[in-house]
Amino acid sequence: MKIAFYGTKPYDKIWFEPMGKEYGFDVHFIEAACSRETIFMAKGHDAICIFVNDYVDEEMINALYEMKVKAILLRSAGFNNVDVKAAEDKIVILRVPSYSPEAVAEFAMALLLTVNRLTHKAYNRTREFNMSLNGLMGTDLYEKTVGVIGTGKIGQAMIRILNGFQAHVLCYDPYPAEGLEAEYVSLEKLFKSADIISLHCPLTSDTRHLINKDTIAIMKKGVYLVNTSRGSLINTEDLIDAMLEGKFGGVGLDVYEEEEGVFYEDRSGDIITDDNLARLMTFPNVLVTSHMGFFTKEAMQAIAKTTLENAYALENGLPLVNQVGTEMVQL
Ligand code: NAD
């Protein structure tokens, strides 16, 4: 099988290169992201392999179909970046539904602890022998009320971590899970009661801009917000307005509405044309990271393994257990 591997970074090759060889696949590593401009590079391949900030729209699906590309191998769980409906009956879409929920949950906690206890600022200060504590006061997580939105694999891992801090965990999910050490409540109660809110639901038509001026209005003043799910769960302009009013104690964002083309790239020498992103960076209590919650050795290895198993199953006519179907699309 010939695979066009878009958006290659050096760390992708660590596992994909040797594992791809073990399977006998011919993996063609392409640095460019998958887009309308680069889709022609898929010609001559049986499958393309893409990540979260690549996209495949209807026009690109049709181009792939004409090039006889049989599959889109997603190196991610989320598939909101592919037109699944347009691909029906033309191209098979396979994903990695689970790799390391703990990786993302642990990172959500890292973001929370950082914006709360300001270790990133302390690090810079002490390196310059500024040992003053002014402005570095945080709050205990112990006995705080934390709202977890979405109690799937990552949300549940986050709840386990929060219980270790002896926080009081409230949660919301339209499909509640059994046996969690957390209390299911309405979304409204969660927004009103939580000192900290962590988002762990997928991006769907129901969850787009879940955090907006109305929901922010009912949150407690000084609330902390962490988003490691998808940028469009938050209406960024509403978040900025509320930040300007001092609503939030701290905000940790691993994802951003307009992250495509910016995240995963070194833009340090460029003029930033995205005013909202630039504005977010100016707040002392906002921490933005570049969609890296998944980025652990264990998760990267698991992503490579499942992606290549998906390709193997397709090549050998085995059941496609990780296929994305139109019935899964809610956007
Ligand atoms: P999952 O499918 O196991 O869980 C998602 C949960 O969200 C499900 O329980 C579902 O019922 C719930 N949900 C659906 N609609 C909802 C709604 N309207 N309100 C509240 N909950 C709702 O997925 P997961 O593996 O836990 O991943 C969660 C999200 O994390 C993914 O959708 C993805 O966007 C994000 N993610 C981010 C990274 C990263 O690197 N930052 C990595 C992996 C996944």
Side-chain angles (χ1 to χ4, degrees), residues 20-292:
K21 279 188 190 143
E22 273 172 36
Y23 276 102
F25 295 148
D26 182 359
V27 185
H28 176 202
F29 292 100
I30 300 168
E31 277 186 30
C34 184
S35 67
R36 284 188 181 184
E37 288 71 40
T38 59
I39 197 68
F40 72 92
M41 296 169 103
K43 196 167 183 267
H45 296 86
D46 302 297
I48 64 166
C49 185
I50 64 168
F51 196 46
V52 289
N53 286 338
D54 298 297
Y55 68 88
V56 185
D57 62 15
E58 186 172 8
E59 187 182 307
M60 292 159 73
I61 293 277
N62 292 334
L64 289 171
Y65 187 61
E66 275 177 27
M67 288 188 261
K68 300 195 170 28
V69 173
K70 291 190 270 305
I72 299 172
L73 305 170
L74 290 160
R75 312 196 285 278
S76 62
F79 45 85
N80 53 290
N81 49 335
V82 177
D83 190 332
V84 178
K85 285 187 180 150
E88 197 179 16
D89 303 328
K90 288 184 178 158
I91 292 174
V92 173
I93 303 167
L94 297 155
R95 68 174 182 142
V96 183
S98 175
Y99 35 94
S100 172
E102 286 75 19
V104 184
E106 287 171 15
F107 192 78
M109 179 49 83
L111 277 181
L112 174 59
L113 288 173
T114 308
V115 290
N116 174 20
R117 300 304 301 271
L118 307 167
T119 43
H120 57 315
K121 293 187 180 187
Y123 170 81
N124 286 328
R125 278 196 195 179
T126 55
R127 286 177 73 86
E128 293 191 356
F129 284 90
N130 175 356
M131 302 298 180
S132 150
L133 298 184
N134 292 335
L136 296 186
M137 199 187 305
T139 56
D140 287 5
L141 297 189
Y142 175 70
E143 290 191 340
K144 286 290 177 315
T145 300
V146 185
V148 172
I149 301 182
T151 56
K153 293 175 286 295
I154 298 171
Q156 290 186 29
M158 186 64 174
I159 290 170
R160 286 192 293 273
I161 293 170
L162 288 164
N163 282 324
F165 281 80
Q166 296 184 52
H168 173 48
V169 187
L170 302 180
C171 57
Y172 171 78
D173 193 308
Y175 306 98
E178 300 273 314
L180 300 189
E181 237 183 288
E183 183 191 347
Y184 278 103
V185 293
S186 69
L187 207 44
E188 189 184 352
K189 180 166 182 203
L190 187 150
F191 283 135
K192 282 184 174 163
S193 323
D195 302 301
I196 296 152
I197 296 171
S198 193
L199 306 179
H200 299 289
C201 55
L203 176 62
T204 67
S205 51
D206 286 339
T207 61
R208 183 178 293 275
H209 289 179
L210 179 73
I211 306 299
N212 58 53
K213 61 177 182 327
D214 298 326
T215 52
I216 291 171
I218 59 171
M219 290 178 198
K220 284 184 177 177
K221 186 164 166 61
V223 63
Y224 283 76
L225 175 68
V226 175
N227 186 10
T228 54
S229 279
R230 284 292 180 267
S232 295
L233 295 181
I234 299 179
N235 181 323
T236 309
E237 291 188 355
D238 289 356
L239 176 71
I240 290 172
D241 288 346
M243 291 298 307
L244 288 167
E245 288 165 12
K247 177 85 185 194
F248 289 94
V251 175
L253 303 175
D254 187 42
V255 286
Y256 169 64
E257 273 194 279
E258 304 295 333
E259 68 180 53
E260 188 194 310
V262 182
F263 281 23
Y264 303 136
E265 306 301 330
D266 180 357
R267 300 264 180 240
S268 54
D270 297 350
I271 305 285
I272 300 299
T273 52
D274 181 336
D275 288 350
N276 283 341
L277 184 57
R279 190 72 184 94
L280 281 174
M281 298 299 187
T282 68
F283 294 111
N285 52 349
V286 172
L287 178 61
V288 179
T289 52
S290 187
H291 203 145
M292 59 179 288

